[in-house]
Amino acid sequence: MRGEVFLPRSGFAAINEKQAEAGKPLYANPRNAAAGSLRQLDPGITAARPLRFFAYQVGSIERALAPRAHWDALRWLKALGFPLSPDSALCATLDEVWERCRWWQERRDALDFEIDGAVVKVNQTGLQEELGQVAREPRWAIAFKFPAVQGVTRLDRIEINVGRTGALNPLAFLDPVQIGGVTVGRATLHNEDQIRRLDLKLGDWVVVERRGDVIPQIVKVLAERRDGSEREYHFPTSCPTCGSTVERVAGEAMSYCTNASCPAQLKERLAHFAGRGAMDIEGLGAERVAQFVDAGLLGDVADLYLLHERRDALLALERMAEKNTDNLLRAIEASKGRPLARLIFGLGIRHVGERNAGLLAGRFASLEELCRASLEDLVAIPGFGAIVAQSVYDFCQEGRNQALIAKLAAVGVRPEGGRPPAPTDGPLAGKSFVLTGRLDSLTRGEATARLQALGATVAATVTKKTDYVVVGEDAGSKAERAAALKRPTLDEPALLALLAEAEGGGTPGAASPDEAPVPAS
Ligand SMILES: [Zn+2]
């Protein structure tokens, strides 16, 4: 079951009062205080905090039928005794949805807890499945964000942070200002163009906007408040960390440090590699990475796996007691077998986020195989754009990266997963399927896995090249599209028969799915 732990405004005030009495630092807002309360090492402290919880979704169900609609799931959770937001509503039309969102917005300040929007969800589970998700974002739920909260303050200075790709990210340092109960002291400026677009000068009065949880932004300069003391800002032409030349790629807004071994980039790359979603190495945060780089222990991500040979050097560092050191070395060792998709994501190839890394891992069995791919191979991956394909190709062509990939293998990084072996010669090789609607005897994930294991590809959209469209219950627009494009469809019994035949192999004709389909009515 999924839900959210929160701290009511009243509870927040009480906690801060106690913090003040004990001479401890105050929490900036209820969200921080709730997170801080959960993070306590002593569960007794957590238990003593006035935390509350709302369930909002069934996570997964075993040995029971899932409710067919979100609203049913909520009623079920309520019947089981879980606390729910008392103000959830079932809306039948978009007008009702709008009205409900406005209703929330009006009473926002009257609630005993802070909200920055409302979540609108598709009710029918079948339609939710149909809509699916992109990366980790479901397409059947969307946040209705309330208007941003703004504040006015002065820009003190601009500092440059060099990212893992070498991008120079300008960051604005502001005189601290309270916006919606949060102290804002920094804002992102994105890039050089943004600074120019805003006509931003050091010392300017600016309007700062905070939208939800994103980093605050400067949206406007109050030019009428200038008194002549403001100074021009000049974007650096050399890397503030290593002094190398800065280059701006034609057509891109970002400037990049051109030094491949720039320590600032290296630190960011290592932190990304070790971070969540990538190799997920516990205890290896940005600070520790910086410490190791500065001590000359890490020159690239593969060096992490050689750290065990430098245990004495690690122990000589600050805050690296024996226990810390050994825990960290164990965590690094354990990351050697992370799935291929996470390793690819961890390499930090430009334009390759978690989703694209997953697509690559679904197509190639290993980094070595990926590196042998031609540009045409990459462009042919469904869902891959030309820019992404080019970026991956360029990465793989670079000798430095090839050396890194060889080094990763040499130090024992053996990702699990990647494309299952030899699907291209299965009995359904070359056939493409699209699944839509709900199946009774197997989930869509199971159906996909079985089809892929037989060499078929499973795509998200129906095209003229689709061989079969599997149509389950409550099927939506994909079934209509299949009819419009005159693509053969399979109902559930036909799909099961096809799978059974193909998995059984052997029998004459079984390997030819062309004979199996039952035309849809
Ligand atoms: Zn640099």
Side-chain angles (χ1 to χ4, degrees), residues 162 168 239-244 257-259 261-265:
V162 183
L168 270 58
C239 172
T241 302
C242 71
S244 301
C257 164
T258 50
N259 175 10
S261 44
C262 169
Q265 291 180 45

Side-chain angles (χ1 to χ4, degrees), residues 1-4 53-61 73-74 76-78 80-84:
M1 177 254 308
R2 303 213 171 110
E4 185 157 333
F53 175 82
F54 280 157
Y56 60 68
Q57 195 179 322
V58 174
S60 77
I61 297 188
L74 290 182
W76 184 49
L77 287 174
K78 192 175 178 191
L80 292 173
F82 291 110
L84 302 179

